[in-house]
Structure formats: structure tokens, C-alpha cells
Amino acid sequence: MAKNSDYRLTSVQEVLHHWRQWTGDFSGSMQPELHEVVGEGTAHRVYSLRGAPDWVLRLSTKRHNHSVNNHSTELASWRRAASAGLAPRIGYESRDSQAVITQRLVFNDVPTDNHAALLRSIHALPDSSPPLSLKKITAQYWEAIEHKSLTNLALDPHSSRISNDLELLDSEPPCFCHNDLTPENIGRSGDQFLAVDWEYAAGGNRHFDIAIASEHMIHSKRYAFAEAVAGNGFKEANWRAACRVALLVTHLWQLAVNNTTSEALTLK
């Protein structure tokens, strides 16, 4: 195949050149090559590998600086989850952590029960990192929006009602959170469901993490999902605040990163 610009990147060449050092069940006799793009988001591109069908190469293509984690911190969270059977295993990574060889997953419909069980297990992982402040995150997004002169399109996170919601959630005891566990970020290996994309993982608010993960659900299913994940820790007032803040954060992130937001999201 024609070599694209990604193939020539030092980090890509590094992980492919060291294919004999990949950990796991790979036992190929020839160096794998980039094949097809099988996934792409705002911060990464995923390639299948010719000669290594059970692996993919995940390449960071981040075009913004609004992620919670840098490459190395993201991989640390990813590895912690993988060691607990909650994320795909990592076979090899480049020295700059920009290119990662990882287990290939199948992405299709995720049953709600499996989605809830995966998020509940992530929340149970030990974490000693400083908690992520939702008030600080929204302030950072707002600063970027101000810099781009887009405040006329944005809800101001400094308003009293929004500030009250943010303070309520920031006052809760934190747990380890994925902070972006939408169905698109859940893949399957056999009968095991695994989480990908750990760039926003941090100690944070359980209710907010659940709200982000369930934004696609209708109200009744979303409420049941929240109760299933939070268990005895479910709090009605915090859940309602989390749903509002999840909409706000998505709205501000879209403006800060993509310079626009959907009319439907603004109306909500």
C-alpha cells in the first residue's frame, strides 16, 4: 500500500520496528504495516495492521489542549484499567506515548447492563490522584471560548445556578472516573466489554461520570442506569445537577474545541 504521512512518523516507525517486543500473543514472523483506518476521533486515529489482525495501532492526533491527561498520564490510567480487565491490553508504546499497539476490539451495540457493570467497576478502581474539579474545567473552557470571541454562543458557567451545581458536585467524595464512557468508547473482546479512550480519566464525580455516559438514553432508562451504577451512593439532587452539568460541559467543550455547538444542545 502507499505509505501515508502517518506511516513516516517516528513514533509509528518505532512501535512497528519493535514488533518482536510486543507483549501478548503476537508471534508474527514479519514486521506488520499500517493498513486501514478503522476508527477516528478528535484526538486519535486507529489503524488495522497488515500481518497482525488481532492488534491495532492507536495514534494520537490531538488538535487541542483541552484533554485532562497528557499521553503518559492517559496510558497510566489505561494500564491500570487493563490490569483489572476493564480496558484492552497494551502490547507496546512509543517513547513519546503517541503511538500505541493495542488489542483489537469489536465495536457494536453495548447492552445497558454491561455498560453499567463496566462503569461501576471503573469507579471501584483505587485512585490517589488529585480530584478533577468541574468548576475548574468549565472555567478553562470558558477562557478558551472568550479567547475565540464566542461567548455570545455560550452559557456562562459563572452564573449563580450553574455555580451552585458545580460546587455541589465538586463537594462529593471523588472516585476514579472515565469521564467519557459513551457506547462509542466501549468495545468487546469475546464476551468481555472493555473501555477505550482514557484521555479524560481522573478522580472525579461519580454522578457526572454516569451522566456523561448516559446522555444518549431516554430519561427513564437513564435514571435506572444511574441507580444501577451508583447503587447506595445514588443521590437524587446530585444526579439532577450532574445531568445539567454534563450538558453544560459538552456544550462548552464543543465551543472550545470545535468553535461551534449544535442548536439542539444550546436549547437543552
Side-chain angles (χ1 to χ4, degrees):
M1 91 176 193
K3 301 294 191 295
N4 61 34
S5 58
D6 287 346
Y7 192 92
R8 294 191 291 270
L9 290 174
T10 301
S11 56
V12 171
Q13 285 294 302
E14 180 187 342
V15 296
L16 294 178
H17 179 70
H18 290 92
W19 91 96
R20 293 186 182 90
Q21 298 175 29
W22 295 359
T23 59
D25 54 6
F26 180 68
S27 58
S29 58
M30 295 182 64
Q31 177 176 316
E33 292 186 340
L34 291 188
H35 188 35
E36 299 175 329
V37 175
V38 293
E40 188 159 13
T42 59
H44 66 271
R45 188 177 298 120
V46 180
Y47 284 94
S48 62
L49 295 171
R50 192 187 304 276
D54 296 328
W55 297 87
V56 292
L57 186 149
R58 182 183 185 271
L59 177 66
S60 175
T61 57
K62 199 172 295 184
R63 302 184 299 273
H64 62 85
N65 60 354
H66 297 296
S67 297
V68 170
N69 299 316
N70 58 27
H71 296 321
S72 59
T73 307
E74 177 185 357
L75 283 180
S77 294
W78 182 351
R79 287 187 183 282
R80 186 191 318 164
S83 67
L86 304 177
R89 64 186 181 276
I90 294 173
Y92 198 84
E93 66 188 79
S94 60
R95 283 169 290 184
D96 61 6
S97 301
Q98 186 176 2
V100 179
I101 299 298
T102 183
Q103 174 186 6
R104 185 169 187 172
L105 304 179
V106 175
F107 291 84
N108 48 30
D109 292 338
V110 182
T112 303
D113 288 348
N114 296 94
H115 191 170
L118 179 58
L119 189 55
R120 189 165 56 246
S121 295
I122 290 171
H123 290 172
L125 289 174
D127 182 55
S128 57
S129 60
L132 178 70
S133 167
L134 291 168
K135 194 165 189 175
K136 182 178 179 180
I137 288 295
T138 55
Q140 290 173 349
Y141 291 165
W142 182 258
E143 183 178 354
I145 292 166
E146 281 187 316
H147 182 71
K148 296 178 179 184
S149 301
L150 295 174
T151 54
N152 61 307
L153 300 176
L155 291 171
D156 187 348
H158 302 101
S159 68
S160 59
R161 286 188 63 186
I162 293 175
S163 289
N164 289 340
D165 282 345
L166 294 170
E167 288 172 4
L168 174 64
L169 297 179
D170 279 347
S171 69
E172 275 195 271
C175 67
F176 186 67
C177 294
H178 183 281
N179 288 319
D180 196 21
L181 198 68
T182 60
E184 293 78 13
N185 285 335
I186 301 174
R188 181 172 52 81
S189 175
D191 59 358
Q192 189 176 25
F193 289 89
L194 304 170
V196 300
D197 293 353
W198 294 85
E199 62 178 309
Y200 295 96
N205 182 271
R206 184 190 314 272
H207 289 87
F208 172 79
D209 199 18
I210 299 169
I212 287 290
S214 61
E215 279 189 300
H216 64 289
M217 298 180 186
I218 62 173
H219 175 74
S220 58
K221 289 188 177 180
R222 193 180 190 193
Y223 191 94
F225 177 83
E227 288 188 309
V229 177
N232 293 333
F234 180 78
K235 298 178 181 178
E236 181 82 30
N238 299 54
W239 168 241
R240 294 185 182 279
C243 289
R244 293 190 292 265
V245 170
L247 273 174
L248 172 74
V249 168
T250 302
H251 162 73
L252 296 178
W253 184 91
Q254 288 278 7
L255 281 168
V257 172
N258 297 326
N259 303 328
T260 187
T261 190
S262 70
E263 182 179 356
L265 190 59
T266 303
L267 288 172
K268 283 186 180 181

